Amino acid sequence: MSRNLSSSYSPAEAWAALAPVLAGQPRVRLSKDSGKTYPQRYERNLTETLPSFPAAVRIFGKDGTCAAIFLDFDSSVAGVDWVQADVRAVQTWLHSVGARWIEDYSPNGGRHVYIPLAQRVTFSEARDLVEALGTRYRTLDKTPHQNLLHGCMRTPGSPHKRGGHQQLAMSLSMAYDIARRPNSAAVWTAMTKDIAAEIKAVRALRQEETFTPAAANAPVIDQPVGRMSRAMQVLAQTGLYDTNQYASDSDARQAVIVSAAAAGLELVDVERRMLQGTWPGLASFYARYAARHRLPSLRRDWTSALSYLSKNKAKNAPNNNVRRSPTSRPNTQAAGIKSSSSNSNIDAEHRFIRTWRSALRIREARYQESRTGMARRMVLRALGEAAHMTASRFIEFGVRSIAVATGLDHTTVGLHLRELRAEKDPLVALVEEARGTKGDLYMLTVPEELKIAAEDATWRKGKVHALRPVFRELGLPAAFVYEALEHSPPMPTSEIVRATRLSRSAVHEALEVLTAWNLVARDDGRAWSVVTTTSLSQLAEQFGVLEGVAAQVQRYRTDRIIWREWLAKNVNTVVELLSPGEDYPWEMFEGPPDEWSLSDMAFRQSA
């Protein structure tokens, strides 16, 4: 095709005409690092307005199916000439099976071929086709179709990281006609039949490979009531499974349903996760049925799962020492706070901690919006939350526990703590250094210069939070902005800037992120407020954040085991044993109950 066709339309027109039709769902991810990454936090609703940043549409929908096959030929693999040869070969093949396609090219010589489909196909079907084509064409990048949750690609008109835009290699009218009159189911059948041997080969190759899902290093333990195993959650989210363990999509989906039923979920919980896109992998397993038959099929599988579990009741009975409620809190009382402590002493401690929180709000003006400043503020919040949980201004938790609570690395936490206690008139003081299996003992302090102002200040409503899991993905500025709005009346942007101590640009970007995920909304008076119907815990599950938390907790648990072994061999003392409440019982829950913050997990652990 002649490239001068691009002069007959603008990039904005190409985007508006084609992006909404090709996308698997009306969502788009922006790249704010010049096209290097397209993170989930920058996902937005897809509109016809051309984004100002490189933009990639989501390939798969909430139901785990796609409306088009996206073939990405990458010039960085073997050069532009090889890309052109591969594209000519795939065009010849598409023509031979009666398919129609749209093609565009990038300023760096890469090319995209889009094959619109009249009948959406499942994740497994699309993945098989693209991986099979990858055995034929060296420069074809298969990864966009190998990730159900994050697969995305730039479409015609999108800005490019090197400047310029994705340009059509055909007229816009022709491309639009193909998009509006996509390939029939008969064409799809012809495509898969023609490369059936390659599809069979890639499936066989998967059986020989070691299965390593994204959360492979997260602990996988038998789940109690109220919490599915992490392996089953990952399967429900990604649709990826070990073909040596499950022979087909049907077997894999039944495993998820049985696991959900055994964990105490209700049928409505599973239906909601499928319909809202939290479990697109499970939804894709039902996409083989017509839309009106999918939920009835799910209900039949649910009945079968309940029947199976009733026959194996003794085998699946939960351990008596496991808490049955998924939302009940663990006992977070520190060893130094006895149950016989008077309520008056506990109330006095909480009053002191709230006064300390007022001092923290005043002092935060000195911490700028740099990553270091925001991280330091989050460490202080983690200490404040730990103090409330133990009803004491004295905090004895190791840096690894605080690392889980803040989403930081433990070495970074150690650095921040040293800097915080070295400040003039610090908010936290080191009382006793770590010894044996015990962590450093810190005490919250209210500096004299802030005491009068802090005592006169009105206590802020609600609990102090460290970093709630969802904000590991959405970022620290979003966490501070959400916190400012959470227990306040609607606030204009200028008031949010004042309350969060962030710059106006940082607040604007945070509001944009929160709005994209329906966490905040703007009213007619131009003031912002929290959308209370959007669950932070559900978004965290959708983002897959808990897999990262689980891996971090497991890594630190291993570190503590190694440390105790070293102490036993090298220190001439009796190593203190873990008390029942010293370490967080992660194996029992395979994830935090609803609305837990990271510190709820972390502050049950030892140093």
Side-chain angles (χ1 to χ4, degrees):
M1 296 288 180
S2 174
R3 295 193 178 188
N4 61 14
L5 290 170
S6 63
S7 61
S8 62
Y9 65 90
S10 69
E13 290 172 326
W15 175 269
L18 300 175
V21 184
L22 295 173
Q25 61 175 296
R27 300 284 286 178
V28 61
R29 293 190 180 180
L30 307 181
S31 175
K32 297 191 177 182
D33 56 4
S34 301
K36 295 178 182 178
T37 60
Y38 293 83
Q40 196 166 13
R41 75 174 67 178
Y42 295 135
E43 186 171 305
R44 306 285 184 268
N45 287 330
L46 175 61
T47 67
E48 295 184 355
T49 302
L50 179 65
S52 55
F53 298 94
V57 302
R58 290 283 301 273
I59 293 177
F60 294 98
K62 292 181 179 180
D63 61 352
T65 66
C66 60
I69 299 297
F70 290 65
L71 302 181
D72 180 10
F73 295 91
D74 189 351
S75 61
S76 66
V77 174
V80 175
D81 291 341
W82 206 306
V83 165
Q84 292 176 347
D86 280 349
V87 170
R88 284 195 295 269
V90 82
Q91 288 173 342
T92 301
W93 174 71
L94 289 171
H95 180 74
S96 70
V97 295
R100 306 170 76 214
W101 66 91
I102 299 169
E103 181 191 345
D104 70 5
Y105 58 89
S106 307
N108 65 353
R111 284 181 176 257
H112 297 166
V113 174
Y114 314 89
I115 311 169
L117 303 171
Q119 182 174 316
R120 297 172 71 102
V121 298
T122 68
F123 167 67
S124 297
E125 293 171 325
R127 180 191 181 196
D128 284 346
L129 178 81
V130 174
E131 288 186 350
L133 291 176
T135 65
R136 290 186 176 186
Y137 310 115
R138 178 181 178 184
T139 61
L140 177 61
D141 181 5
K142 304 179 289 294
T143 56
H145 274 278
Q146 291 176 320
N147 196 313
L148 179 57
L149 295 175
H150 303 292
C152 57
M153 204 162 89
R154 295 188 310 277
T155 53
S158 169
H160 192 270
K161 62 183 179 181
R162 292 192 177 181
H165 300 79
Q166 292 291 130
Q167 297 283 359
L168 282 169
M170 56 178 62
S171 68
L172 179 57
S173 60
M174 180 184 295
Y176 186 72
D177 178 70
I178 294 171
R180 300 305 300 178
R181 294 193 297 123
N183 295 285
S184 65
V187 172
W188 172 259
T189 301
M191 291 167 60
T192 54
K193 183 178 180 180
D194 190 73
I195 60 170
E198 287 91 337
I199 291 177
K200 183 178 180 180
V202 296
R203 287 176 177 170
L205 181 61
R206 274 190 229 130
Q207 291 181 332
E208 296 177 2
E209 294 176 342
T210 302
F211 180 65
T212 53
N217 56 352
V220 179
I221 313 293
D222 290 339
Q223 75 274 15
V225 173
R227 183 60 55 183
M228 289 176 63
S229 73
R230 192 149 306 281
M232 287 296 102
Q233 290 187 52
V234 171
L235 200 165
Q237 290 173 343
T238 67
L240 299 175
Y241 56 87
D242 188 346
T243 53
N244 291 304
Q245 186 172 3
Y246 304 112
S248 65
D249 288 359
S250 297
D251 292 340
R253 86 183 189 206
Q254 193 61 44
V256 174
I257 297 302
V258 171
S259 179
L265 296 181
E266 300 292 339
L267 175 59
V268 66
D269 297 322
V270 178
E271 291 176 337
R272 175 176 58 80
R273 283 168 167 79
M274 285 177 54
L275 295 175
Q276 294 182 350
T278 304
W279 285 356
L282 180 61
S284 72
F285 296 151
Y286 288 94
R288 55 179 291 191
Y289 303 109
R292 66 181 182 277
H293 296 312
R294 292 173 188 172
L295 289 182
S297 178
L298 168 63
R299 289 162 192 154
R300 288 194 299 272
D301 288 346
W302 187 261
T303 301
S304 298
L306 294 179
S307 176
Y308 170 82
L309 290 172
S310 65
K311 295 176 182 178
N312 296 271
K313 186 175 182 180
K315 181 179 178 181
N316 290 280
N319 196 320
N320 289 334
N321 65 358
V322 175
R323 285 184 287 115
R324 295 173 180 268
S325 170
T327 56
S328 60
R329 300 275 181 152
N331 176 20
T332 55
Q333 194 114 324
I337 304 296
K338 304 298 183 182
S339 59
S340 59
S341 297
S342 66
N343 291 333
S344 60
N345 289 339
I346 294 176
D347 290 342
E349 283 298 287
H350 280 302
R351 287 195 296 271
F352 173 84
I353 297 166
R354 286 190 174 274
T355 301
W356 178 87
R357 287 170 55 184
S358 298
L360 171 60
R361 290 203 305 275
I362 299 170
R363 175 62 61 81
E364 280 185 334
R366 84 165 47 169
Y367 304 115
Q368 301 302 315
E369 67 171 73
S370 65
R371 290 183 63 87
T372 298
M374 288 190 290
R376 204 156 289 175
R377 292 168 64 179
M378 196 55 70
V379 169
L380 287 169
R381 276 168 166 72
L383 294 174
E385 185 168 15
H388 271 309
M389 291 168 66
T390 58
S392 171
R393 71 189 73 185
F394 294 94
I395 303 124
E396 189 178 49
F397 295 112
V399 292
R400 286 170 174 79
S401 295
I402 299 174
V404 177
T406 57
L408 302 170
D409 183 75
H410 68 281
T411 57
T412 304
V413 170
L415 175 63
H416 288 314
L417 286 171
R418 286 193 294 272
E419 293 296 328
L420 286 169
R421 70 196 191 210
E423 290 179 348
K424 181 182 179 182
D425 297 323
L427 289 168
V428 59
L430 178 64
V431 178
E432 186 175 346
E433 292 186 349
R435 65 277 182 213
T437 60
K438 299 298 183 181
D440 290 332
L441 178 63
Y442 283 94
M443 180 181 69
L444 303 185
T445 62
V446 178
E448 287 296 329
E449 63 174 14
L450 301 178
K451 186 167 292 187
I452 295 177
E455 290 175 348
D456 292 342
T458 303
W459 287 342
R460 178 171 290 183
K461 296 180 181 179
K463 64 180 290 188
V464 60
H465 290 287
L467 190 70
R468 285 170 282 191
V470 69
F471 293 109
R472 282 198 174 199
E473 176 66 31
L474 300 182
L476 289 178
F480 288 124
V481 171
Y482 188 89
E483 178 191 75
L485 293 171
E486 193 170 14
H487 299 292
S488 303
M491 299 168 61
T493 303
S494 58
E495 183 66 17
I496 298 173
V497 171
R498 187 195 67 79
T500 60
R501 314 283 186 176
L502 301 175
S503 69
R504 181 171 289 270
S505 61
V507 168
H508 273 298
E509 182 169 324
L511 288 170
E512 185 181 357
V513 169
L514 294 170
T515 302
W517 294 103
N518 198 36
L519 288 169
V520 301
R522 203 170 192 177
D523 60 24
D524 294 336
R526 315 304 289 172
W528 295 92
S529 59
V530 166
V531 178
T532 57
T533 56
T534 303
S535 168
L536 296 181
S537 60
Q538 182 180 331
L539 272 182
E541 181 182 357
Q542 182 176 336
F543 291 163
V545 173
L546 300 183
E547 280 73 58
V549 179
Q552 187 179 19
V553 169
Q554 185 69 9
R555 186 170 65 252
Y556 291 160
R557 169 160 295 162
T558 302
D559 289 347
R560 286 192 293 275
I561 291 173
I562 295 172
W563 173 241
R564 285 183 171 87
E565 290 177 349
W566 186 91
L567 285 174
K569 294 177 181 178
N570 296 277
V571 179
N572 189 25
T573 59
V574 177
V575 179
E576 299 173 63
L577 299 177
L578 279 173
S579 63
E582 184 181 354
D583 206 12
Y584 178 76
W586 186 261
E587 302 94 336
M588 294 183 182
F589 296 96
E590 281 296 291
D594 292 346
E595 303 303 338
W596 277 27
S597 65
L598 298 187
S599 56
D600 288 312
M601 293 181 276
F603 295 138
R604 292 281 294 166
Q605 302 177 73
S606 63

